[in-house]
Amino acid sequence: MRHLISTKNLSNQEVLDIFKDAKDFLDKKPRTLLEGKSITTIFFENSTRTLSSFESAARRLGARVLRLDVARSSSSKGETLYDTAANLDAMSPNAIIIRHSHSGAPQILSHHIHCPLINAGDGKHAHPTQALLDLFTIYEHFKGEIKGKKITIIGDIKSSRVANSNIDLLTRFGLEITLVAPPHFMPNSNLNYTYDIKKAIEKADIIMSLRTQVERHEKIVYASLKDYANDFCINSSLINDKKVILLHPGPVNRNIDISDEVMNDPRNLVLKQVEHGVAIRMAVLKKFILEN
Ligand code: NCD
């Protein structure tokens, strides 16, 4: 049984096959590919985009969706994660989509269930479908010519599962990554990095801005988000008339991550990413349910 825990579970060819299917699914027409299948979503962490994106994807393919309401489930009565999953599994779903605040939770659970498990984000570890939709957005924009493109990733990289998954995937597809963050948000890595946002943006084809993951910080290691915004908010004066595209996984903290003005800029592809997210998740569900 194959699961999607991290981008490392997919070969480059499989990623390209997912992109091909996702491109077809951009027509937004309903399909019957997963008719009669049942998909369970269980989100132990808040989500707006990812949960609704997976559920729309499942429904657009004709599947039934069972959403486990965690707040009202037995997890809140002290049931272990393993027992919750074993009980869900006993209802024989065709896939389980899980989000959890603990890095590694989906990996552990995957050993105890009998259907594909799709990780919708675990702690600081991985968010594979977000990285797929980010790369797909880049791939579509540059019409497949992505090798050697320069991407600057800005923000709380150290605590970001989105950054982790993107760093794996973008590197494999030959993009050149530069990390930009204040020292307390900068991970240890072999990648190019700088504290100078102006310099990093000058040579970028793509900017990826990330939200400060306040909920994942054990202690506050910075003065305030306003101070952070002074140096790292993407505003018009930073990108002026530069030919560049801007990505952000959402939720965007306006005027901290990206200024109001740049939120309305046509180079900002945040809503395109959301649109692509549904198509990518359709392709992922199709692959992991029908090819498993
Ligand atoms: C991200 C997440 O939850 O990891 N958002 C998302 O999935 N759209 C990023 C974030 O919360 O900052």
Side-chain angles (χ1 to χ4, degrees), residues 49-50 99 127 130 161-162 211 213 215-216 249-251:
R49 257 154 303 267
T50 308
R99 166 169 285 196
H127 194 348
Q130 180 67 45
R161 55 195 177 203
V162 174
R211 181 179 65 90
Q213 305 283 298
E215 70 278 27
R216 294 186 218 293

Side-chain angles (χ1 to χ4, degrees), residues 182-194:
H184 46 273
F185 289 164
M186 188 73 87
N188 285 327
S189 85
N190 300 326
L191 295 166
N192 289 333
Y193 71 92
T194 173

Side-chain angles (χ1 to χ4, degrees), residues 4 8 55 65 68 73 89 102 105 123 125 135 161 167 173 211 214 238 254:
L4 183 60
K8 294 187 172 67
E55 293 188 349
V65 177
L68 200 95
S73 79
D89 190 47
H102 293 176
H125 171 232
L135 183 64
R161 55 195 177 203
I167 288 170
F173 279 86
R211 181 179 65 90
V214 279
L238 270 175
R254 275 181 182 257

Side-chain angles (χ1 to χ4, degrees), residues 106-117:
Q107 175 73 37
I108 294 166
L109 282 176
S110 66
H111 302 311
H112 303 286
I113 57 164
H114 298 91
C115 67
L117 187 96

Side-chain angles (χ1 to χ4, degrees), residues 138-157:
I138 297 169
Y139 190 83
E140 283 293 287
H141 182 84
F142 292 104
K143 302 188 172 38
E145 302 294 313
I146 56 174
K147 197 160 181 250
K149 287 281 179 290
K150 295 183 173 54
I151 177 160
T152 295
I153 303 180
I154 301 173
D156 185 3
I157 303 164

